[in-house]
Amino acid sequence: MAVSGARELVDALESLGTEIVFGLPGVHNLPLWEALAETRIKLVGVRHEQTAGYAADGYARATGKLGVALVTTGPGAANTLGAVGEAMASAAPVLVIATDIPSTLRRPGVVRGVLHETSDQQAMFAPVTKGGFTVRAADQIGTTVHRAARLALQPQSGPVYLGVPTDYLRETVPHRRPPAPHRKPDGDVPDLARAEAMLSDADHPLIWAGGGALRSGAGDAIGALAEKIAAPVITTFGARGLLPLDHPCLAPNPVHTPEVGELWDEADVVLAIGTDFDGLMTQNWRMPKPPKLIAVNVDADDAAKNYQPDLTLVGDARGIVERLLLPKERPGLDDITLRLAGIGRRVRQRIREEEPQAYDLLSTLDEVLPTDAVLVSDMCVAGYWVGGFHRVRAPRKLAYPMGWGTLGYGFPASLGAAAAGVGRAICITGDGGFLYACGDLATLAQEQLPVTVVLVDDGGYGMLRYDQDREGLPRRGVDWDSPDFVGLARSFGVHADRVSGFGRAFRRLLGEFVESDEPNVLVVRARLKPPLNTSPRWYRT
């Protein structure tokens, strides 16, 4: 059976289990819109290509599945680069499918001035993707889609670029049976016995779990191991929600808080699972390397690029931790549990004293959020409080752009998380970040996505204002007159309201908003100080 190249591409996505894609039409990719109308795949049309990339990222983080963005040639593809860079830094499996100029008009080494032409479109994506593919013949479309998707999903996951010359979409090609899924068999992991011995001999073991641990589904295994060896578990921003809130070994706050930082300082053996110890988590490596470090990672080079491990176990996090069967239990679990509970109480009390508004925000989120809600934070002061100190109830219930630190992530990513159908998305954003993608209020209204936007309006770039004030500099470029955000949302047909501060009115309205079946925006006029998990306040400085 022969089909169009566009139908072959869409059929390949469908065979991969794709349920939803995010995109924006252009003159070169319209055949894909025609082909999608004939499948079960839901197309969410957005108002900016960057939103397509962020929404695909939000979907991927909320589900663990492949997020797909469809964009057009040249400037359309280029508009996704900021979002793709965040996906790369945070290992979100995103496939960006972009059309390219017709192959018949391309002349190697020459930019001829064809509409939307780029000398090498794939090369634009090289610094911010795991890899890229450009289809070289129409009959290669289906197989290339599968190769690109497989690369995006295989550990360490990340974004992949796929370019398709537009003329191939209208060519007739033979319909091919999709290739069988490829799975690399788990091999033997040497040195497990040595790792067990190091952990058994430790006086103060510590487990540090990163995003790779969460993506592999290693939470149960890590929780069981931590209880057996009486080790606290510190989770990175990418691993928040890995363990249940009532787990006896869960460190309740980021390592940047002094009390949790002391756990690292005291540890004589650290078991690092699915992490690369980036600068944001280690205060730009001011935190000293522990006396002994065991790394579990799918990539030995990634495991060693910041702190050199004494032992590296290469492979899937869940599989390796499940095989770390220690010969005996270590005493001290009750003591660790009591200490961690005390840390949680002291940190909350400090927040209450230093920034009462942040305490009220966090307390309200604890009380009113539905159990299945997905919290999506932007790079803003309120987002820093939530990303570091909100009590995340389960894996994939927090999306936080601390990989690349992209301002403007929160609102468009929340569209993807909500479209996944795994719970209402609660977006925590500031006025500055929200304005990056406010046009996609149209998408929110059109799709009636279950999103509540908590928009904290502090009249400018609050974090940068804090930085200038802290250094005694005059304020430049950080203050503005805010638009009428409530009126803006309502003009798109989205219900909106406003409050001042995070007191009783905020709690009442947020409770009503998150129980609604419709999208809504709650504007909060407030200014917050940043928390200890932002670099100006790292505890060692």
Side-chain angles (χ1 to χ4, degrees):
M1 183 179 70
V3 297
S4 70
R7 184 57 192 264
E8 179 72 358
L9 189 153
V10 170
D11 284 352
L13 289 176
E14 197 166 30
S15 72
L16 288 163
T18 303
E19 299 170 338
I20 189 167
V21 298
F22 306 89
L24 195 150
V27 66
H28 287 154
N29 68 5
L30 284 177
L32 292 174
W33 264 244
E34 299 169 18
L36 282 164
E38 301 172 357
T39 73
R40 294 188 300 272
I41 297 175
K42 178 178 174 58
L43 170 63
V44 175
V46 299
R47 303 308 190 266
H48 194 285
E49 289 88 0
Q50 183 170 261
T51 293
Y54 280 139
D57 177 306
Y59 174 88
R61 296 199 206 195
T63 64
K65 300 176 183 178
L66 183 70
V68 180
L70 300 181
V71 296
T72 194
T73 313
N79 279 342
T80 69
L81 288 172
V84 175
E86 173 57 41
M88 182 64 181
S90 295
V94 169
L95 177 59
V96 177
I97 301 176
T99 47
D100 207 335
I101 67 167
S103 64
T104 54
L105 301 181
R106 173 78 68 185
R107 185 181 299 168
V110 180
V111 177
R112 305 178 67 193
V114 179
L115 177 67
H116 298 334
E117 182 179 10
T118 305
S119 62
D120 189 344
Q121 188 168 287
Q122 180 178 327
M124 289 196 305
F125 286 80
V128 292
T129 56
K130 286 183 68 178
F133 301 85
T134 299
V135 176
R136 301 302 177 188
D139 62 0
Q140 297 176 7
I141 289 176
T143 56
T144 309
V145 169
H146 276 266
R147 290 175 62 200
R150 185 164 63 239
L151 178 61
L153 287 164
Q154 71 185 31
Q156 176 170 320
S157 55
V160 171
Y161 166 82
L162 173 61
V164 186
T166 182
D167 52 317
Y168 294 165
L169 297 178
R170 294 203 184 274
E171 282 193 29
T172 300
V173 300
H175 183 58
R176 300 177 185 273
R177 184 182 298 275
H182 172 78
R183 185 181 186 277
K184 185 178 179 181
D186 294 331
D188 292 333
V189 180
D191 293 324
L192 280 171
R194 183 182 169 200
E196 291 174 0
M198 291 171 67
L199 291 169
S200 294
D201 293 341
D203 292 321
H204 300 287
L206 173 70
I207 296 175
W208 175 289
L214 185 144
R215 290 187 294 274
S216 76
D220 289 345
I222 289 172
L225 177 63
E227 290 187 62
K228 195 166 189 180
I229 64 174
V233 179
I234 292 175
T235 54
T236 68
F237 294 128
R240 301 289 312 287
L242 178 73
L243 298 183
L245 291 175
D246 60 356
H247 192 281
C249 297
L250 176 63
N253 305 113
V255 72
H256 311 87
T257 53
E259 296 88 348
V260 179
E262 288 172 3
L263 299 172
W264 172 273
D265 295 339
E266 296 169 3
D268 53 353
V269 177
V270 171
L271 175 63
I273 306 169
T275 183
D276 63 359
F277 290 115
D278 65 26
L280 285 170
M281 288 307 309
T282 62
Q283 301 168 57
N284 287 336
W285 307 285
R286 288 188 179 94
M287 290 168 52
K289 177 182 177 294
K292 291 183 180 179
L293 176 60
I294 306 168
V296 176
N297 201 302
V298 294
D299 184 340
D301 292 335
D302 186 65
K305 68 185 182 185
N306 289 315
Y307 290 129
Q308 183 65 44
D310 299 280
L311 177 63
T312 302
L313 306 177
V314 178
D316 174 72
R318 183 175 65 181
I320 290 178
V321 176
E322 286 175 345
R323 294 162 67 180
L324 277 175
L325 302 175
L326 298 171
K328 61 181 179 180
E329 293 186 6
R330 291 183 67 261
L333 178 60
D334 290 343
D335 292 338
I336 290 295
T337 301
L338 287 172
R339 181 177 180 185
L340 294 174
I343 288 174
R345 288 192 298 270
R346 289 197 299 277
V347 172
R348 283 285 170 141
Q349 182 60 31
R350 186 192 309 133
I351 294 171
R352 189 171 194 169
E353 294 170 356
E354 290 189 3
E355 186 48 279
Q357 291 194 102
Y359 180 86
D360 289 342
L361 168 61
L362 295 168
S363 298
T364 296
L365 292 176
D366 285 345
E367 290 179 18
V368 308
L369 289 197
T371 56
D372 61 351
V374 180
L375 202 55
V376 185
S377 287
D378 208 339
M379 292 292 291
C380 60
V381 179
Y384 301 147
W385 282 107
V386 170
F389 297 92
H390 172 63
R391 292 166 55 80
V392 184
R393 296 171 178 150
R396 302 195 178 279
K397 293 303 181 183
L398 173 70
Y400 185 39
M402 269 297 184
W404 215 26
T406 48
L407 179 61
Y409 171 90
F411 176 50
S414 71
L415 303 181
V422 295
R424 189 172 189 87
I426 315 299
C427 170
I428 306 295
T429 186
D431 45 355
F434 181 75
L435 288 171
Y436 274 49
C438 62
D440 272 288
L441 283 165
T443 303
L444 186 61
Q446 178 174 307
E447 299 293 334
Q448 284 295 290
L449 294 170
V451 175
T452 292
V453 179
V454 178
L455 196 167
V456 182
D457 178 9
D458 65 358
Y461 296 115
M463 188 68 226
L464 303 177
R465 180 191 295 127
Y466 175 86
D467 287 339
Q468 289 182 349
D469 290 349
R470 183 173 179 267
E471 295 179 24
L473 299 172
R475 293 181 180 176
R476 303 186 193 279
V478 298
D479 294 315
W480 63 53
D481 293 328
S482 295
D484 178 1
F485 287 111
V486 171
L488 177 65
R490 290 176 178 173
S491 75
F492 283 92
V494 176
H495 177 63
D497 208 338
R498 63 169 59 84
V499 294
S500 293
F502 296 99
R504 292 180 180 177
F506 170 73
R507 183 168 305 191
R508 176 180 58 81
L509 278 174
L510 184 61
E512 294 174 4
F513 277 34
V514 299
E515 293 298 327
S516 171
D517 295 328
E518 300 177 347
N520 42 52
V521 175
L522 179 55
V523 180
V524 185
R525 187 70 181 179
R527 291 192 177 187
L528 299 168
K529 284 193 309 184
L532 292 172
N533 61 320
T534 53
S535 55
R537 301 195 66 198
W538 280 340
Y539 84 93
R540 290 182 179 279
T541 63

